[in-house]
Amino acid sequence: MGYISYKDSIKSKRLHFLHRVNRAESVLKEAKYYISLKNKNVLDVGCGNGALSYILAKSGAKVFSIDTDNKILKEAKIFCKPYKISFKKSEAEKLPFRDKFFDVVFCFDVLEHVKNPDKVIKECKRVLKRDGYIYLEISPYYSIIAGSHLYYYTFLPMQFFPKSFVKWYISKKKSVPLETKKTSLKRFFGLNRLTIKNLYNIIKRNKLLIVKEKFIIKYPDLFDINLKYLKYAGFLGELLTISYIVTLK
């Protein structure tokens, strides 16, 4: 497909999908380190436009994908048309699957957007086979660059600004389509303020084992570094980590 830059990804839905596919490649690589996905049952929780589902299906996995938005599910079905993927409309807090059905469950940039992260993790554990894995990736709420999820517009930590200012700031971006602005603001105002510390507590309550974790600092299209010592940096780690990635059993 070719590499789609961070800046180009905002120009159209198709380019945004391709950019997400580029990102999903790293997710696939991480998962395949632990388990072969060929013919395995995998779940993509909050599949969005289907980028991760596409990559998983391409690898030979039996992919089941859920999202709450009918409109975006239709887009995902179009983008993923070459592959047989089971798409369903569902809340992540109540997965429409039987116990111990999946070999791997993915929550890729999703957990910080749900109403009840604890309940989502509990559901992911319920549908996971005993020897299965859960892959989570979040942008911590206090992350200076990524916490607001408005990095397509600015690298300012917008989550620390008044909501009225955020609305004004996004509205003045004339180069961005109105529909994209509305979607971005909806995503921003729907953030549940999930932090790495919060997630640790959720993992502990659900008696899951951390197999591997990464504290990623990156600048789009330039570098991507795992600084594992941020684990011990307290609130500073929350501020500097752009993507927190954890694999669970």
Side-chain angles (χ1 to χ4, degrees):
M1 287 185 176
Y3 180 75
I4 303 299
S5 74
Y6 176 80
K7 289 183 178 179
D8 287 339
S9 66
I10 199 172
K11 293 179 181 178
S12 73
K13 290 180 180 179
R14 178 67 181 173
L15 288 175
H16 180 63
F17 169 75
L18 295 177
H19 174 71
R20 294 287 292 181
V21 165
N22 292 152
R23 283 199 61 203
E25 290 279 8
S26 63
V27 177
L28 177 66
K29 183 178 179 181
E30 192 74 28
K32 289 173 77 172
Y33 181 82
Y34 299 102
I35 185 172
S36 169
L37 295 178
K38 190 171 178 61
N39 295 320
K40 296 293 195 303
N41 292 336
V42 302
L43 175 61
D44 184 4
V45 177
C47 65
N49 63 16
L52 178 58
S53 297
Y54 179 93
I55 287 295
L56 294 171
K58 187 179 178 182
S59 74
K62 297 176 183 177
V63 184
F64 298 77
S65 306
I66 65 119
D67 205 283
T68 59
D69 191 328
N70 273 325
K71 188 175 180 181
I72 203 163
L73 281 172
K74 287 179 181 178
E75 289 179 15
K77 288 176 183 178
I78 293 170
F79 290 140
C80 298
K81 201 171 182 179
Y83 299 105
K84 186 178 180 181
I85 297 171
S86 175
F87 288 101
K88 289 186 179 182
K89 182 182 179 182
S90 172
E91 296 283 344
E93 289 89 345
K94 193 173 182 180
L95 298 172
F97 305 103
R98 62 180 169 82
D99 294 0
K100 298 177 175 60
F101 181 69
F102 293 103
D103 297 282
V104 188
V105 175
F106 294 88
C107 274
F108 177 41
D109 287 347
V110 172
L111 205 59
E112 62 266 46
H113 302 284
V114 300
K115 294 175 184 176
N116 190 329
D118 203 328
K119 206 168 183 180
V120 173
I121 296 300
K122 191 174 292 184
E123 276 289 276
C124 289
K125 181 183 177 183
R126 177 184 66 78
V127 301
L128 189 70
K129 293 180 181 178
R130 188 172 294 276
D131 58 347
Y133 293 88
I134 298 174
Y135 177 95
L136 303 174
E137 182 167 344
I138 70 165
S139 294
Y141 184 72
Y142 293 116
S143 172
I144 294 174
I145 292 178
S148 70
H149 288 70
L150 292 173
Y151 31 76
Y152 286 109
Y153 305 93
T154 176
F155 287 128
L156 290 172
M158 299 299 277
Q159 69 273 37
F160 297 117
F161 290 82
K163 291 181 179 180
S164 56
F165 173 80
V166 176
K167 285 183 179 179
W168 170 81
Y169 188 91
I170 300 304
S171 68
K172 76 182 186 71
K173 295 287 182 178
K174 295 180 180 179
S175 60
V176 182
L178 180 60
E179 184 181 356
T180 303
K181 291 178 183 178
K182 287 181 178 178
T183 301
S184 299
L185 285 172
K186 183 180 179 181
R187 186 182 301 118
F188 171 75
F189 290 121
L191 290 171
N192 58 30
R193 302 191 172 210
L194 184 67
T195 65
I196 298 171
K197 184 178 179 180
N198 295 152
L199 185 52
Y200 277 150
N201 291 332
I202 292 172
I203 291 169
K204 185 177 180 180
R205 280 197 296 272
N206 284 281
K207 298 179 180 179
L208 290 162
L209 173 68
I210 294 178
V211 178
K212 185 178 181 181
E213 58 185 334
K214 290 183 176 182
F215 298 77
I216 303 296
I217 290 181
K218 59 185 173 183
Y219 190 90
D221 306 326
L222 288 180
F223 64 84
D224 189 322
I225 304 170
N226 175 29
L227 292 182
K228 60 182 179 180
Y229 297 110
L230 288 177
K231 177 182 177 70
Y232 308 104
F235 188 65
L236 181 62
E238 300 274 3
L239 290 172
L240 297 180
T241 302
I242 291 179
S243 286
Y244 173 67
I245 302 169
V246 60
T247 303
L248 307 169
K249 284 200 76 173

